[in-house]
Amino acid sequence: MLKLILRRNVKSGLIGGKKFEVHSRIETDKDLAALFKGYPDELVLAYKSIWADRSLSLKRSEFLRGAKFTVTSLNELIELEERLQSAFDQVRRMIEIVETFQTDIALEL
């Protein structure tokens, strides 16, 4: 079982209106720290927002522990959540690869 948990909060801002916080973490019954021990801590998320003058990056270990982001618009929130879903898919694929080393795999095109 592997789940991406997102929690949204709305914060009142004195200047510029409301701000949104997103807390993300991966929930699993596997010991992912042990699974990735000895592997480089790679980026799973890196992008420049099209809605704000901001760049975001996130390493795999930060994503697994849980990360907090603050955004200023609903469009930026939607963009962030889409990117977090993509990062989750990336981590899921990394887990599959690490777990299947020393085995033959067949890819269908």
Side-chain angles (χ1 to χ4, degrees):
M1 172 188 78
L2 190 66
K3 289 194 252 183
L4 173 62
I5 308 295
L6 297 176
R7 187 177 70 227
R8 300 178 192 138
N9 293 317
V10 177
K11 299 285 185 177
S12 294
L14 297 175
I15 300 174
K18 297 192 181 292
K19 297 194 183 336
F20 308 96
E21 282 185 350
V22 176
H23 297 263
S24 69
R25 67 182 167 83
I26 292 180
E27 192 173 276
T28 183
D29 52 357
K30 299 177 184 184
D31 185 358
L32 297 181
L35 181 68
F36 287 113
K37 187 175 183 174
Y39 290 94
D41 192 12
E42 300 178 82
L43 287 175
V44 293
L45 176 78
Y47 76 99
K48 181 165 174 56
S49 175
I50 61 171
W51 301 105
D53 188 21
R54 176 189 342 245
S55 295
L56 291 175
S57 63
L58 184 66
K59 289 186 175 184
R60 183 182 59 234
S61 63
E62 297 167 330
F63 196 37
L64 296 177
R65 277 193 314 267
K68 180 175 101 172
F69 304 92
T70 302
V71 296
T72 57
S73 72
L74 292 173
N75 282 326
E76 194 178 358
L77 177 68
I78 292 168
E79 180 184 35
L80 173 62
E81 289 181 356
E82 288 174 354
R83 300 299 175 113
L84 288 170
Q85 178 63 49
S86 177
F88 177 69
D89 293 339
Q90 183 77 5
V91 169
R92 183 186 343 213
R93 184 73 176 117
M94 287 177 173
I95 292 168
E96 290 172 5
I97 290 169
V98 170
E99 288 180 332
T100 59
F101 276 130
Q102 306 300 324
T103 62
D104 293 334
I105 59 171
L107 300 175
E108 293 185 29
L109 301 176

